[in-house]
Amino acid sequence: MKYENLLKENPTLKKISEAKEIAWVNERYLPFDMTNAVCQLIVSDEDIDSAAKRLERFAAFLKKEFPETQSTNGLIESDIIEIPNMKSALEKEYNCSITGKLFMKKDSHLAIAGSIKARGGIYEVLKHAEDLALKESIILENDSYEKFADSKMKDFLSQYTVQVGSTGNLGLSIGIMSAAIGFKVKVHMSADAKQWKKDLLRSRGAEVIEYTEDYSKAVAEGRRLSDLDEKSYFVDDEKSVNLFLGYAVAAKRLKAQLDEMNISVDKDHPLIVYLPTGVGGAPGGVSYGLKRIFKDNVHCFFVEPVQCPSVLLGIETQLFENANVKDFGLTGKTEADGLACASPSSFVTRIMTNLLSGDFTVEDRKLFDYLRLLYSTENEQIEPSSCAAFIGPVNLLKEDSTLEYCKKQNLNEDRLKNATHIVWATGGKMVPEDIRKQYLDTYL
Ligand SMILES: *Cc1c(COP(=O)(O)O)cnc(C)c1O
């Protein structure tokens, strides 16, 4: 093993390398004000606002091209629901107490792509289309972007190719949107990718290239092939700032939803968010956006499979994108296909180093237990990757490390009673009926 010595010095790393569940607390976590100046230089509030405005410009197009977005006026946004029955069931089943209220943010049901990738992935494709069209003056910023639904625009964009490497859901979001707007699109899919996702993509007109290797390989090959073609654009999940911005837009919209439900977030009403994590882009972007709004009153925890905690390793070791779970004796293999990224994002591991509160790892078998429990208590079905989030609220006050974190952050009993816990459901709507049944019947 490459990092034998590191493991000897660091008991946390040792435990991770044994694929044991861990509640990791980030020792580099800093008060928001101490990070603000540097963060603003990298991704500023204006950058996020301008991404939100871009999505508003495209709303007219989305509404026309994807009628399912009519109810949200062309915005791709999900509901947030309280899940009190699931909360009681978790408390009973896992002998824990989830102090405060438990909510689920249903990105699992986002329009068009049925996963959190409908935020970042679609944003990046739209931005690329806009850049090309503005450059050739085929559109002006003040035009109605309904124009993007015209055949003339599609003919123009059809000279260009978009490529992406994916374990599945990013491919779906990039593939569906690229094909809809007129691009040629090639999706490089890792061995983890589910067959139904490949089939669905092909049915929408995307070219799917299959790899027998893992996600890092699919990305590297996709990037290489795209670089050979000057009319090809590569959506680079391992370092894209545009993806990140698309995800970050979620935060202000969540704030509006919380306001509408009369849920305050302040010192006495903490917000605690649990996000399933693969390469880090989606949970990183969402968390970053939330930190910019709620600062020290939001606590963001990532969740990763025990065999694939790449973001945790990247941050803990400060090896960033050079961390690979395989170098720590792990397989990288997991039933959570959306989280199967052996190396993390260079960008996210850096920008989240002082903002992430912690990271829980979870065993695959629990994903299916959570999936069944959610279905039986709330009649909601989400995909296994998504279910990872539930270990967060279960273990927050159960593990010594996170209990200590709560103490240190002055999250005492009184405050936690007012806490809003959000599990971020990251995918599920597109799962075909027969596979849903299989998931309900999977016991590991
Ligand atoms: C992609 C994905 C994630 C994590 O996103 P990353 O950007 O890879 O960290 C989580 N859940 C699901 C269902 C996903 O598809």
Coordinates of all heavy atoms in Angstrom, one line a residue, residues 114-117 167-170 197 215 237 247 275-284 311 337-339 341 383-386 424-428, ligand 1:
G114 N -33.6 14.1 -13.0 CA -33.9 13.3 -11.8 C -32.8 13.1 -10.8 O -32.8 12.1 -10.1
S115 N -31.9 14.1 -10.8 CA -30.8 14.0 -9.7 C -30.3 15.4 -9.5 O -30.6 16.3 -10.3 CB -29.7 13.0 -10.2 OG -28.8 13.7 -11.0
I116 N -29.4 15.5 -8.5 CA -28.8 16.8 -8.2 C -28.0 17.3 -9.4 O -27.8 18.5 -9.5 CB -27.9 16.6 -6.9 CG1 -27.5 18.0 -6.4 CG2 -26.7 15.7 -7.2 CD1 -26.9 17.9 -5.0
K117 N -27.6 16.4 -10.3 CA -26.8 16.8 -11.5 C -27.6 17.7 -12.4 O -27.1 18.4 -13.3 CB -26.4 15.6 -12.3 CG -25.6 14.6 -11.5 CD -24.3 15.2 -11.0 CE -23.3 14.1 -10.4 NZ -24.0 13.1 -9.5
T167 N -20.3 8.4 -13.9 CA -20.7 7.1 -13.4 C -22.2 6.9 -13.7 O -22.7 5.9 -13.4 CB -20.5 7.1 -11.8 OG1 -21.4 8.0 -11.2 CG2 -19.1 7.3 -11.4
G168 N -22.8 7.9 -14.2 CA -24.2 7.8 -14.6 C -25.0 9.0 -14.6 O -25.4 9.5 -15.6
N169 N -25.2 9.6 -13.4 CA -26.2 10.7 -13.4 C -25.7 12.0 -14.0 O -26.5 12.7 -14.6 CB -26.6 11.0 -11.9 CG -27.6 10.0 -11.4 OD1 -28.2 9.3 -12.2 ND2 -27.6 9.8 -10.1
L170 N -24.4 12.3 -13.9 CA -23.9 13.5 -14.6 C -24.1 13.3 -16.1 O -24.5 14.2 -16.8 CB -22.4 13.7 -14.3 CG -21.9 15.0 -14.9 CD1 -22.6 16.2 -14.3 CD2 -20.4 15.1 -14.7
K197 N -29.2 3.5 -17.3 CA -28.8 4.9 -17.6 C -28.2 5.0 -19.0 O -28.4 5.9 -19.7 CB -27.8 5.4 -16.5 CG -28.5 5.5 -15.1 CD -27.6 6.0 -14.0 CE -28.3 6.1 -12.7 NZ -27.5 6.4 -11.5
Y215 N -14.3 5.3 -12.8 CA -14.6 6.7 -13.2 C -13.5 7.6 -13.6 O -13.5 8.3 -14.6 CB -15.4 7.3 -12.0 CG -15.6 8.7 -12.0 CD1 -16.6 9.3 -12.8 CD2 -14.8 9.6 -11.3 CE1 -16.7 10.7 -12.8 CE2 -14.9 10.9 -11.3 CZ -15.9 11.5 -12.1 OH -16.0 12.8 -12.1
D237 N -15.7 17.2 -14.5 CA -16.3 17.0 -13.1 C -15.2 17.1 -12.0 O -15.5 17.4 -10.9 CB -17.0 15.6 -13.0 CG -18.0 15.5 -11.9 OD1 -18.4 16.6 -11.4 OD2 -18.4 14.4 -11.6
Y247 N -24.5 24.3 -9.0 CA -24.9 23.7 -7.7 C -25.1 24.7 -6.6 O -26.0 24.7 -5.8 CB -23.9 22.6 -7.2 CG -23.7 21.4 -8.1 CD1 -22.5 21.1 -8.6 CD2 -24.8 20.6 -8.3 CE1 -22.4 19.9 -9.4 CE2 -24.7 19.5 -9.1 CZ -23.5 19.1 -9.7 OH -23.4 18.0 -10.5
L275 N -24.9 15.6 2.9 CA -24.9 15.4 1.4 C -24.1 14.2 1.0 O -22.9 14.2 1.2 CB -24.3 16.7 0.8 CG -25.0 18.0 1.2 CD1 -24.1 19.0 1.8 CD2 -25.6 18.6 -0.1
P276 N -24.7 13.3 0.2 CA -24.0 12.2 -0.4 C -22.9 12.8 -1.4 O -23.2 13.7 -2.1 CB -25.1 11.5 -1.2 CG -26.3 11.8 -0.5 CD -26.2 13.3 -0.1
T277 N -21.7 12.2 -1.3 CA -20.6 12.8 -2.0 C -19.9 11.8 -2.9 O -19.5 10.7 -2.4 CB -19.6 13.4 -1.0 OG1 -20.3 14.5 -0.3 CG2 -18.4 14.0 -1.6
G278 N -19.6 12.2 -4.1 CA -18.8 11.4 -5.0 C -17.5 12.1 -5.2 O -16.6 12.0 -4.4
V279 N -17.4 12.8 -6.3 CA -16.1 13.6 -6.6 C -16.1 14.9 -5.8 O -15.1 15.4 -5.6 CB -16.0 13.8 -8.1 CG1 -17.0 14.9 -8.6 CG2 -14.6 14.1 -8.5
G280 N -17.3 15.3 -5.3 CA -17.3 16.5 -4.4 C -18.0 17.7 -5.0 O -18.4 18.6 -4.3
G281 N -18.2 17.7 -6.3 CA -18.7 18.9 -7.0 C -20.1 19.3 -6.5 O -20.3 20.5 -6.1
A282 N -21.0 18.4 -6.5 CA -22.4 18.7 -6.2 C -22.5 19.1 -4.7 O -23.0 20.2 -4.4 CB -23.3 17.5 -6.5
P283 N -22.1 18.2 -3.8 CA -22.2 18.6 -2.4 C -21.3 19.8 -2.0 O -21.7 20.7 -1.2 CB -21.7 17.4 -1.6 CG -20.8 16.7 -2.6 CD -21.4 16.9 -3.9
G284 N -20.2 20.0 -2.7 CA -19.3 21.1 -2.5 C -20.0 22.4 -2.9 O -20.0 23.4 -2.2
V311 N -13.2 12.2 -1.0 CA -13.1 13.6 -0.6 C -12.5 13.7 0.8 O -11.7 14.5 1.1 CB -14.5 14.3 -0.7 CG1 -14.4 15.7 -0.1 CG2 -14.9 14.3 -2.2
D337 N -23.6 3.9 -7.0 CA -22.9 4.2 -8.2 C -22.6 5.7 -8.3 O -21.6 6.1 -8.9 CB -23.6 3.6 -9.4 CG -25.1 4.1 -9.4 OD1 -25.7 4.2 -8.4 OD2 -25.6 4.3 -10.5
G338 N -23.5 6.5 -7.8 CA -23.3 8.0 -7.9 C -22.1 8.5 -7.1 O -21.7 9.6 -7.2
L339 N -21.6 7.6 -6.2 CA -20.6 8.1 -5.3 C -19.3 7.4 -5.5 O -18.3 7.5 -4.7 CB -21.0 7.8 -3.8 CG -22.5 8.2 -3.4 CD1 -22.7 8.0 -1.9 CD2 -22.8 9.7 -3.8
C341 N -16.3 7.5 -6.9 CA -15.2 8.3 -7.5 C -14.0 8.1 -6.6 O -13.9 8.6 -5.5 CB -15.6 9.8 -7.5 SG -17.2 10.1 -8.4
E383 N -32.7 6.7 -4.9 CA -31.8 5.7 -5.2 C -30.7 5.4 -4.1 O -30.6 6.3 -3.2 CB -31.1 6.0 -6.6 CG -30.3 7.2 -6.7 CD -29.7 7.4 -8.1 OE1 -30.4 8.1 -8.9 OE2 -28.6 7.0 -8.4
P384 N -30.1 4.3 -4.1 CA -29.2 3.9 -3.0 C -28.1 5.0 -2.7 O -27.9 5.3 -1.5 CB -28.5 2.6 -3.5 CG -29.5 2.0 -4.4 CD -30.2 3.1 -5.1
S385 N -27.5 5.6 -3.7 CA -26.5 6.6 -3.4 C -27.1 7.7 -2.6 O -26.4 8.2 -1.6 CB -26.1 7.3 -4.8 OG -25.5 6.3 -5.6
S386 N -28.3 8.1 -2.9 CA -29.0 9.2 -2.2 C -29.2 8.8 -0.7 O -29.2 9.7 0.1 CB -30.4 9.2 -2.8 OG -30.6 10.2 -3.6
W424 N -30.0 15.5 2.0 CA -30.1 15.9 0.6 C -30.3 14.7 -0.2 O -29.3 13.9 -0.4 CB -28.9 16.7 0.2 CG -29.2 17.8 -0.8 CD1 -29.4 17.6 -2.2 CD2 -29.4 19.2 -0.6 NE1 -29.7 18.8 -2.8 CE2 -29.7 19.8 -1.9 CE3 -29.3 20.0 0.5 CZ2 -29.9 21.1 -2.0 CZ3 -29.6 21.4 0.4 CH2 -29.9 21.9 -0.9
A425 N -31.5 14.5 -0.7 CA -31.8 13.3 -1.6 C -31.3 13.7 -3.0 O -31.8 14.6 -3.6 CB -33.2 13.0 -1.6
T426 N -30.3 13.0 -3.4 CA -29.6 13.4 -4.6 C -30.0 12.8 -5.9 O -29.6 13.2 -7.0 CB -28.1 13.2 -4.5 OG1 -27.9 11.9 -3.9 CG2 -27.5 14.3 -3.5
G427 N -30.8 11.7 -5.9 CA -31.2 11.0 -7.1 C -32.3 10.0 -6.9 O -32.5 9.5 -5.8
G428 N -33.0 9.7 -8.0 CA -34.0 8.6 -7.8 C -35.1 8.6 -8.8 O -35.6 7.5 -9.2
Ligands
LIG1 C1 -23.3 12.6 -8.5 C2 -24.1 12.2 -7.4 C3 -23.7 12.5 -6.1 C4 -22.5 13.3 -5.7 O1 -22.1 14.3 -6.5 P1 -20.5 14.6 -6.8 O2 -20.4 15.8 -7.5 O3 -20.0 13.4 -7.6 O4 -19.9 14.6 -5.4 C5 -24.6 12.1 -5.1 N1 -25.7 11.4 -5.3 C6 -26.0 11.1 -6.5 C7 -27.3 10.3 -6.7 C8 -25.3 11.5 -7.6 O5 -25.6 11.1 -8.8

